[in-house]
Amino acid sequence: MFSCATIPRRLTRSQLHPSRLFSTSTTRYADFTHAIIGGGVVGLAIARRLQERDGVSTVMIEKHGSVGQETSSRNSEVIHAGLYYGPDSLKTKLCLKGKEMLYETCKRYHIPHRNCGKWIVAQDELQKGEIEKVHNFASSIGVPTRFLSPKEAKSREPDVRCEAGVLESPTTGIVDSHSLMQFLEGAFEDKGGICAFHSSVTSVQSLDTGAGGWEITTSSDGEEVAITAETLINSAGLAAVAISNMILPPERHRQAFYAKGSYFSYSASRPKPNTLVYPAPVPGHGGLGTHLTLDMSGRIRFGPDVEWVDDPTDYRVNDKNLQAALDDIQSYLPGIDRSAIGLDYVGIRPKLGRLGAVASVKGFQDFYIEKEEGFDGFVNLLGIESPGLTSSLAIAEEVERLLYR
């Protein structure tokens, strides 16, 4: 079997083994056992997991020229503790499991990461009530959090303002998402997985509603190639709803929503906290506020804000919300030099509605990870936003469970 390192980074007909031609009566002769659409961190984790099974052949189909070019590389790179998503949600289940798997994997394979912890800060009684809710929920699911005394908070982070209280999450951390994805891609290659880059999916056809396999047509530089697979996993991120709508009947179609978030850099040397700082959750907000995060070099960045857009490819950075973001930041970091905060980069989160980020909000949207009824061998992943990076290894485990257990 070929690996990603030994074939051109797109599929051509000459790469398909002649003994695995498609059959209308059985999937034994499909080109691949598994086809995964989407080469972000979740698609990579799934590909690696499935390729570890005996006697399989897995192809990962990605429209860009390398992995993780969209949401997976345009985020805060936070390892989330699992504080916001409600007791019975898939987000909570997979975040808690994924967090432990991610820390263990990073430690074992020397992937850069840091368990730096996080503060959630409140400036008034209303915000204090919100962080108390977070603490009570965390306690109910066994995630450690604790309130800091004003003295301890002042001693540890003297530049951070927390007038009404601060809740610490000691299991929150950060990870180098690019290094993580490089590891996952390499592990997939080493097991014989095939990567098809520069391959945009133009159509997906099921044979006998999936019982006979799946035909995926891709386009690259004007050339169309059809491949076949026994099972199909839609992990296309921002394009996942479009892929899903290619397959499911009209009454099961969905609408995609896109939450664009701008991130802001900080060029001054002070203030420089050593922990992540988040404002108290705001009910109805599409994200978790304009928070302070750190990268592996200790560089401070702020964001994201939330702007609903129709174009999932609009990565233009603009200063539309900069003044509001500056006000948010200064509410918890009053000594900030506003002139040293500038535009940095943009990320876009795939959503299934214009809904809040916390489970206490009516209409909270959970991850959608389902083996679709009436379509054999098809696992559909929709709305995989935060905490998707944290949950990625657990999502892969869940997909394998849906297919084989």
Side-chain angles (χ1 to χ4, degrees):
M1 181 172 294
F2 297 101
S3 76
C4 300
T6 59
I7 65 169
R9 297 171 81 77
R10 65 192 67 189
L11 284 175
T12 63
R13 294 190 184 280
S14 63
Q15 292 158 4
L16 303 182
H17 195 288
S19 68
R20 295 185 66 83
L21 298 176
F22 191 54
S23 165
T24 59
S25 60
T26 176
T27 59
R28 283 186 306 155
Y29 302 112
D31 300 314
F32 300 98
T33 313
H34 313 110
I36 295 137
I37 302 174
V41 67
V42 172
L44 283 165
I46 295 168
R48 169 185 174 243
R49 181 89 185 192
L50 294 180
Q51 188 60 25
E52 288 176 345
R53 298 180 64 85
D54 292 335
V56 303
S57 57
T58 304
V59 61
M60 187 189 71
I61 302 168
E62 168 56 47
K63 66 183 178 182
H64 295 290
S66 58
V67 300
Q69 293 299 297
E70 295 183 353
T71 307
S72 295
S73 61
R74 295 172 172 270
N75 57 69
S76 301
E77 298 187 301
V78 172
I79 301 175
H80 287 285
L83 304 177
Y84 301 108
Y85 316 113
D88 302 316
S89 74
L90 201 54
K91 283 187 175 182
T92 292
K93 171 189 170 183
L94 296 177
C95 184
L96 297 184
K97 176 67 172 176
K99 173 182 61 176
E100 299 305 321
M101 294 175 75
L102 186 54
Y103 274 128
E104 179 183 352
T105 299
C106 288
K107 183 177 180 180
R108 177 180 299 177
Y109 296 104
H110 309 290
I111 299 166
H113 70 291
R114 184 151 66 92
N115 183 193
C116 56
K118 176 176 84 174
W119 286 12
I120 310 173
V121 297
Q123 311 303 342
D124 55 36
E125 289 303 309
L126 180 62
Q127 292 182 5
K128 183 179 180 182
E130 291 300 316
I131 65 173
E132 287 174 346
K133 291 177 186 177
V134 172
H135 174 65
N136 292 337
F137 170 66
S139 298
S140 74
I141 60 171
V143 175
T145 57
R146 70 184 186 100
F147 288 100
L148 303 185
S149 69
K151 181 179 180 180
E152 182 179 358
K154 189 69 175 177
S155 172
R156 287 175 53 187
E157 297 288 1
D159 296 315
V160 175
R161 178 174 176 255
C162 42
E163 293 291 330
V166 53
L167 182 68
E168 182 176 43
S169 168
T171 60
T172 300
I174 55 176
V175 62
D176 183 336
S177 62
H178 300 275
S179 295
L180 173 63
M181 289 188 284
Q182 287 172 359
F183 161 75
L184 293 172
E185 182 183 6
F188 177 56
E189 290 180 0
D190 289 345
K191 291 291 184 179
I194 293 179
C195 299
F197 293 109
H198 299 289
S199 299
S200 297
V201 173
T202 57
S203 72
V204 180
Q205 300 292 329
S206 65
L207 183 69
D208 192 17
T209 60
W214 296 86
E215 183 177 78
I216 306 106
T217 302
T218 67
S219 176
S220 179
D221 295 334
E223 178 189 9
E224 284 204 336
V225 174
I227 64 166
T228 57
E230 297 174 15
T231 63
L232 175 69
I233 296 94
N234 176 20
S235 182
L238 294 170
V241 168
I243 298 294
S244 178
N245 290 348
M246 288 181 185
I247 300 166
L248 300 179
E251 62 271 18
R252 290 164 68 177
H253 284 189
R254 290 175 175 264
Q255 180 181 355
F257 296 83
Y258 308 106
K260 178 178 178 178
S262 293
Y263 290 82
F264 309 97
S265 62
Y266 188 58
S267 59
S269 59
R270 297 290 176 187
K272 192 174 183 180
N274 293 308
T275 190
L276 312 184
V277 183
Y278 280 54
V282 177
H285 199 269
L288 296 176
T290 307
H291 45 265
L292 180 157
T293 59
L294 307 168
D295 64 17
M296 291 307 302
S297 66
R299 185 177 73 102
I300 287 177
R301 55 191 171 192
F302 299 99
D305 60 5
V306 176
E307 176 186 356
W308 296 101
V309 296
D310 297 322
D311 181 2
T313 67
D314 180 10
Y315 291 109
R316 294 173 297 175
V317 181
N318 65 67
D319 61 1
K320 177 180 178 181
N321 297 317
L322 179 57
Q323 291 306 311
L326 289 172
D327 292 342
D328 286 346
I329 295 164
Q330 199 157 29
S331 71
Y332 60 80
L333 210 61
I336 202 76
D337 180 354
R338 292 172 71 108
S339 67
I341 298 177
L343 299 174
D344 197 352
Y345 63 97
V346 161
I348 300 177
R349 286 155 280 172
K351 297 267 193 177
L352 294 175
R354 295 193 176 192
L355 306 167
V358 297
S360 58
V361 176
K362 184 179 180 180
F364 166 76
Q365 184 64 60
D366 202 359
F367 287 155
Y368 182 92
I369 305 174
E370 296 286 345
K371 190 175 183 182
E372 289 287 2
E373 183 178 355
F375 292 85
D376 288 354
F378 175 37
V379 179
N380 207 9
L381 294 87
L382 306 175
I384 309 299
E385 49 152 345
S386 182
L389 174 63
T390 305
S391 307
S392 56
L393 301 179
I395 291 174
E397 185 179 77
E398 177 72 5
V399 169
E400 184 186 35
R401 184 191 68 80
L402 289 172
L403 286 173
Y404 294 110
R405 298 176 189 174

